Amino acid sequence: MQQQIALSDDGRPTGHFRNTAYVINESRPHFDAAHAAGLMGIQGRSTAGRAFALGAGSIDNRPQMIDFVRCSYLGLDNHPAIVTGAIEAIEAHRSLHWSCARTRLNFDLLAELEATLSEMFCTRVLAFSSVMLANLGAMPILASGQLTSGRKPVIAFDRIAHISLAYHKPVVADEARVETIAHNDIDALERLCREHPVVAYVCDGVYSMGGNSPVKELRQLQERYGLFLYIDDAHGISLFGRQGEGFARSQFPKLLGDRTIIAASLAKGFGASGGMLMLGTLDQETLFRRYSIPYAFSVAPNLAAVGAALGSCKIHQSPELAERRRRLAERIAVFDRRVVTAEQGNSLPIRMIAIGSEAKAIAIARELLNAGFYTSVTFFPTVAQGKAGIRVCITADHDVRDIERLCDCILEKLTDTVGNGSGPP
Amino acid sequence: MQQQIALSDDGRPTGHFRNTAYVINESRPHFDAAHAAGLMGIQGRSTAGRAFALGAGSIDNRPQMIDFVRCSYLGLDNHPAIVTGAIEAIEAHRSLHWSCARTRLNFDLLAELEATLSEMFCTRVLAFSSVMLANLGAMPILASGQLTSGRKPVIAFDRIAHISLAYHKPVVADEARVETIAHNDIDALERLCREHPVVAYVCDGVYSMGGNSPVKELRQLQERYGLFLYIDDAHGISLFGRQGEGFARSQFPKLLGDRTIIAASLAKGFGASGGMLMLGTLDQETLFRRYSIPYAFSVAPNLAAVGAALGSCKIHQSPELAERRRRLAERIAVFDRRVVTAEQGNSLPIRMIAIGSEAKAIAIARELLNAGFYTSVTFFPTVAQGKAGIRVCITADHDVRDIERLCDCILEKLTDTVGNGSGPP
């Protein structure tokens, strides 16, 4: 059967997925204001713990800021074992990077890293130079039906799945049917599973702007209907599981099976640099090592990233992992006792201060910066229009007093705002 | 005016751009054969010059191979200044990587790198963690019309533009009209320029499988019709231009203007790790620093990549650049005197040995490996079906005698093949 669809007068289907011009026109004033306020595109240098020296020039003359922007939730990004791992790998090879595809020649240390991660996470792990590229490689393979016994799935994206997934909708839609469902809408997903023989769901594990996917319910749909799951757990890695396998992986059985792929970060909680995919079967591994586009046509993580990740594996296999998680939980609790957010009480390290107006969010983030705290002001297109706010990333490495001072500061600024007759939270 | 288009029975337009299942089904036997022959997905460790120790385990027990796969055309990927630059940057920060978007917090050394490259190449340079991500960020901005005075261009892709560009056709087509024209077809491009008020052309500068784009003719179309040019010059960087600005950039005037964007590599000829965009105007820079998706939602080159690139900048600003280019030219001439290819006599370092049959190409590449030479066997989808061959990347660092021996070996194996009644070259 052939159906018909309306095209615009230049002969193409009218933008189903993207309207970049609209995004730019709507958000440009806020971006410009945030840049003018010194909140975006700033530079700095690590000093100690979560502090950094703002700007350029001599370290001694720069103001020190406490950073709540970086997603190094376990505070590993300046851990000596990771820094040393990076340097040692470069020294062992007297090279940083080989310009060739992974389908050709690979650093022996990269093979060692993948073997170590595979054992730690009880899956087949492939490393990528970033999570964005790991996802890029997976989406067309998922669309092709090669992961679902040769039958193309209907692919349902969570409405707020990360842009590194949502970007690919038009590519996926060129080969398979794409649906976008409401955030965490298990009922809608179950309806799709009932209506179609093969369905795949694409979502985040831990969402970068707060919250998480309902993995338990997703697994139930998988068991009932054979639902294929593709979960980007970049923000969940290292925080859960015996050896840090992450929010998503730790909620699956020992064997991942042939219906689940988990993407994760080698940076963020893990503390190194790059991304990875966790695959459940040899067939999937073989397929990705041939047909993932960045695997075949882009580059591996460089040797510093590989060495840093090998260093982080050692930390993940030691009692230090539990100790750092304990410190993180303690610090999240300190924050939650002071500031009410939608995330209050969950065990994730992301907290969103809801503000609403973009201009007010920028003004408050600027006042926090004046007080020595660098936070992420978030607005459209990262969150919905009129839902601007401030993101705070808590880490195991923060000084408890700095968190307390940040909280006091947030409460003070929010009260000022309410006092000015302007609303939330 | 509304037009109509045929849809398949699941309600989606029938695959205009991609057919991943077809690619996999057609090429799988060749990939499997190349893997079985030990030609793909191999591992190794740098030893000296272009040699590497194949496999894992003790360096002393591994066979030494001469590498003709890596695209380090100036032999910089194990240059001491670049290796040292990587290590020093890590040591200065006691960090390798910060997990945050470039729209937030950047290493001060990254700002220094961009400023240095901008001055060297007389453009506004933005660094990315890979060329693939640099391209991903640019394509939707190009489609939006924001680079062409708010008018959406008709976007013509060269038929063999690199997959890191072609991948995005469905994304671009969701916002603008996409055309694919024959390789280097200036006449077809001029027809489009005559028919449409705003046209953009997306192509490579130096093509990874041999040859280059006709930059002079493209510039003429730009002058005549205002054609916007997006050129991925990953393989042309460092090889041309006063300070290594590359094949494409060196053919444009001192000021790049507002109608040309050049993507390039910080790896390959440049010898470090990562990618970059060369932009002509402040408006473009501001736009990309806000709206390039990987800039806002993925990661910067890590500090090792930044330090390595700063080390490479020093080499590019020294007489060593000319000396390495001289050595490269000499070695290309050595090859060209012995083996006839379609590329013979051009000043680029890529040579393609045309073979035809995928099975024969794999067999010959295996015999070259037996003789101690690692080359790239290329077949569909990298090149057209039935057009398999062997790619040889010549570098300034190759021993001339190794190139001579490789050539002898290629000629011998090709003669054997012809002797067996099998054809080319």
Side-chain angles (χ1 to χ4, degrees):
Chain A
M1 192 184 83
Q2 296 264 307
Q3 298 177 16
Q4 302 291 318
I5 194 177
L7 296 193
S8 65
D9 60 8
D10 61 356
R12 68 185 180 84
T14 40
H16 281 83
F17 299 107
R18 301 190 60 80
N19 192 337
T20 304
Y22 175 81
V23 168
I24 293 175
N25 290 329
E26 290 295 309
S27 65
R28 187 63 189 263
H30 309 310
F31 272 100
D32 289 346
H35 275 268
L39 291 168
M40 299 193 86
I42 70 174
Q43 50 172 303
R45 178 169 297 211
S46 309
T47 50
R50 291 298 106 190
F52 70 93
L54 180 66
S58 160
I59 288 283
D60 301 333
N61 300 330
R62 301 194 222 172
Q64 294 280 321
M65 295 288 151
I66 306 299
D67 176 61
F68 288 94
V69 165
R70 280 180 280 164
C71 303
S72 182
Y73 304 118
L74 297 179
L76 291 176
D77 65 1
N78 45 12
H79 190 291
I82 287 174
V83 172
T84 306
I87 292 173
E88 284 177 356
I90 299 172
E91 283 175 341
H93 271 268
R94 303 307 300 165
S95 270
L96 171 63
H97 174 77
W98 282 347
S99 274
C100 58
R102 292 211 55 198
T103 46
R104 308 287 178 186
L105 183 57
N106 299 272
F107 291 121
D108 52 10
L109 287 177
L110 180 54
E112 185 185 328
L113 173 64
E114 290 183 336
T116 306
L117 289 169
S118 296
E119 203 182 317
M120 282 168 58
F121 299 158
C122 199
T123 52
R124 295 164 183 274
V125 172
L126 271 62
F128 289 83
S129 58
S130 71
V131 186
M132 190 169 270
L133 287 182
N135 287 338
L136 186 155
M139 289 297 110
I141 296 177
L142 181 59
S144 77
Q146 297 281 316
L147 297 170
T148 41
S149 311
R151 296 183 74 174
K152 290 191 179 188
V154 170
I155 302 184
F157 285 77
D158 190 285
R159 196 180 58 74
I160 65 166
H162 192 259
I163 181 73
S164 69
L165 298 166
Y167 176 85
H168 305 286
K169 284 183 192 178
V171 177
V172 172
D174 197 47
E175 305 206 57
R177 178 164 169 179
V178 168
E179 297 280 342
T180 300
I181 65 175
H183 181 47
N184 284 346
D185 188 344
I186 290 289
D187 293 340
L189 188 56
E190 180 157 18
R191 276 196 299 277
L192 282 175
C193 290
R194 284 210 196 98
E195 289 163 11
H196 302 280
V198 191
V199 177
Y201 180 53
V202 176
C203 64
D204 298 6
V206 171
Y207 282 85
S208 61
M209 296 294 138
N212 55 270
S213 60
V215 175
K216 191 177 150 206
E217 287 81 356
L218 293 175
R219 282 196 53 208
Q220 284 166 354
L221 293 186
Q222 182 171 70
E223 279 157 27
R224 202 168 302 152
Y225 303 99
L227 175 66
F228 194 99
L229 294 171
Y230 187 94
I231 306 175
D232 179 340
D233 203 27
H235 289 271
I237 191 73
S238 302
L239 304 181
F240 301 88
R242 197 175 58 88
Q243 294 196 317
E245 54 267 36
F247 179 81
R249 177 71 186 98
S250 63
Q251 295 184 68
F252 282 84
K254 186 162 168 43
L255 293 178
L256 194 56
D258 63 357
R259 294 259 142 181
T260 305
I261 292 178
I262 297 169
S265 181
L266 288 169
K268 298 203 166 66
F270 199 80
S273 166
M276 66 176 120
L277 289 182
M278 304 181 199
L279 306 173
T281 72
L282 174 60
D283 278 356
Q284 290 174 354
E285 179 183 349
T286 305
L287 199 60
F288 275 76
R289 289 201 194 269
R290 284 154 177 70
Y291 296 107
S292 159
I293 288 172
Y295 196 92
F297 298 103
S298 188
V299 296
N302 65 36
L303 259 178
V306 171
L310 283 167
S312 182
C313 286
K314 286 185 199 136
I315 299 169
H316 280 70
Q317 291 168 314
S318 80
E320 187 175 344
L321 181 67
E323 169 57 20
R324 284 187 172 259
R325 285 190 194 155
R326 193 195 55 70
R327 291 167 55 89
L328 175 60
E330 203 176 270
R331 280 151 183 78
I332 294 170
V334 167
F335 186 95
D336 280 355
R337 275 198 296 275
R338 281 166 177 76
V339 177
V340 179
T341 63
E343 295 77 32
Q344 192 178 40
N346 79 19
S347 53
L348 305 169
I350 299 169
R351 292 294 180 265
M352 301 294 291
I353 317 297
I355 293 173
S357 142
E358 287 81 3
K360 286 211 179 77
I362 292 167
I364 292 176
R366 176 66 235 189
E367 293 195 58
L368 297 177
L369 193 66
N370 291 345
F373 303 112
Y374 185 44
T375 57
S376 298
V377 56
T378 57
F379 47 77
F380 179 75
T382 304
V383 293
Q385 286 170 288
K387 301 276 186 192
I390 288 170
R391 183 175 78 160
V392 173
C393 291
I394 301 166
T395 80
D397 226 14
H398 277 105
D399 190 311
V400 168
R401 284 160 307 175
D402 285 336
I403 295 174
E404 291 168 347
R405 287 173 47 230
L406 171 71
C407 290
D408 291 347
C409 214
I410 288 170
L411 294 172
E412 186 190 322
K413 301 310 169 194
L414 286 178
T415 313
D416 288 355
T417 306
V418 175
N420 292 334
S422 46
Chain B
M1 193 184 84
Q2 297 265 306
Q3 300 178 12
Q4 302 290 320
I5 193 177
L7 295 194
S8 66
D9 62 8
D10 61 355
R12 68 183 180 86
T14 40
H16 281 82
F17 300 108
R18 301 189 60 81
N19 191 337
T20 303
Y22 175 82
V23 168
I24 293 175
N25 290 331
E26 290 295 309
S27 65
R28 187 61 188 263
H30 309 309
F31 271 100
D32 289 346
H35 275 269
L39 293 167
M40 299 195 85
I42 70 174
Q43 51 172 302
R45 178 169 298 212
S46 309
T47 50
R50 291 299 105 190
F52 70 93
L54 180 66
S58 160
I59 287 282
D60 303 333
N61 300 331
R62 300 194 223 173
Q64 293 280 319
M65 295 288 152
I66 307 298
D67 176 61
F68 287 94
V69 165
R70 281 180 280 164
C71 303
S72 183
Y73 303 118
L74 297 179
L76 291 175
D77 65 0
N78 45 12
H79 190 291
I82 287 174
V83 172
T84 306
I87 292 172
E88 284 177 355
I90 299 172
E91 283 176 341
H93 272 268
R94 303 307 301 164
S95 270
L96 171 64
H97 175 77
W98 282 347
S99 274
C100 59
R102 293 211 53 199
T103 46
R104 308 286 178 188
L105 183 57
N106 299 273
F107 290 122
D108 51 11
L109 287 177
L110 179 55
E112 186 185 326
L113 173 64
E114 291 184 335
T116 305
L117 290 168
S118 296
E119 202 182 317
M120 282 169 58
F121 299 159
C122 200
T123 52
R124 294 164 182 276
V125 172
L126 270 63
F128 288 83
S129 59
S130 71
V131 186
M132 191 168 268
L133 287 182
N135 288 338
L136 187 155
M139 289 297 109
I141 296 177
L142 181 59
S144 77
Q146 298 281 315
L147 296 170
T148 41
S149 311
R151 299 183 72 174
K152 290 189 178 187
V154 171
I155 302 183
F157 284 77
D158 189 284
R159 196 181 59 75
I160 64 167
H162 192 260
I163 182 74
S164 69
L165 298 166
Y167 176 84
H168 305 286
K169 283 182 193 177
V171 177
V172 171
D174 198 46
E175 304 207 56
R177 179 165 167 179
V178 167
E179 298 280 342
T180 301
I181 64 174
H183 180 45
N184 284 345
D185 188 344
I186 290 288
D187 293 340
L189 189 56
E190 182 159 15
R191 277 196 297 280
L192 282 175
C193 289
R194 283 211 196 97
E195 289 163 11
H196 302 281
V198 192
V199 177
Y201 179 53
V202 177
C203 64
D204 297 7
V206 171
Y207 282 84
S208 61
M209 296 295 138
N212 56 269
S213 60
V215 175
K216 192 178 148 204
E217 287 80 356
L218 294 174
R219 282 196 54 208
Q220 283 166 356
L221 293 185
Q222 183 172 70
E223 278 158 28
R224 202 169 301 153
Y225 304 99
L227 175 65
F228 194 99
L229 294 171
Y230 187 93
I231 306 175
D232 179 339
D233 203 26
H235 288 271
I237 192 74
S238 301
L239 304 181
F240 301 88
R242 197 174 58 89
Q243 295 196 315
E245 55 266 37
F247 178 81
R249 177 70 185 98
S250 63
Q251 295 184 66
F252 281 84
K254 185 159 168 47
L255 294 178
L256 194 57
D258 62 357
R259 294 260 143 180
T260 306
I261 292 178
I262 296 169
S265 180
L266 288 169
K268 299 204 167 66
F270 200 80
S273 166
M276 67 177 120
L277 289 182
M278 304 183 199
L279 306 173
T281 71
L282 174 61
D283 277 357
Q284 290 174 355
E285 179 183 347
T286 305
L287 199 60
F288 275 76
R289 288 201 196 270
R290 284 154 178 71
Y291 297 107
S292 159
I293 287 171
Y295 197 93
F297 297 103
S298 186
V299 295
N302 64 36
L303 258 178
V306 171
L310 283 167
S312 182
C313 287
K314 286 186 198 134
I315 299 168
H316 279 70
Q317 292 168 314
S318 80
E320 187 174 346
L321 181 67
E323 170 57 20
R324 284 186 174 261
R325 283 190 195 155
R326 193 194 56 70
R327 289 167 58 88
L328 175 59
E330 202 175 271
R331 280 151 183 78
I332 294 170
V334 166
F335 186 95
D336 280 355
R337 275 198 296 274
R338 281 166 178 75
V339 178
V340 179
T341 63
E343 295 77 31
Q344 192 178 40
N346 79 19
S347 52
L348 305 169
I350 299 169
R351 293 293 179 265
M352 299 296 291
I353 317 296
I355 293 173
S357 141
E358 286 81 4
K360 287 212 179 77
I362 291 166
I364 293 177
R366 178 63 235 188
E367 295 194 58
L368 296 178
L369 194 66
N370 291 345
F373 304 111
Y374 185 44
T375 57
S376 298
V377 56
T378 57
F379 48 77
F380 180 75
T382 303
V383 294
Q385 285 169 287
K387 300 276 186 190
I390 289 170
R391 184 175 77 161
V392 173
C393 292
I394 302 165
T395 80
D397 226 14
H398 277 106
D399 191 310
V400 168
R401 284 161 307 176
D402 285 336
I403 296 175
E404 291 168 348
R405 286 172 49 230
L406 171 71
C407 289
D408 292 346
C409 214
I410 288 171
L411 294 173
E412 185 191 322
K413 301 309 169 195
L414 285 178
T415 313
D416 289 355
T417 307
V418 175
N420 291 336
S422 48

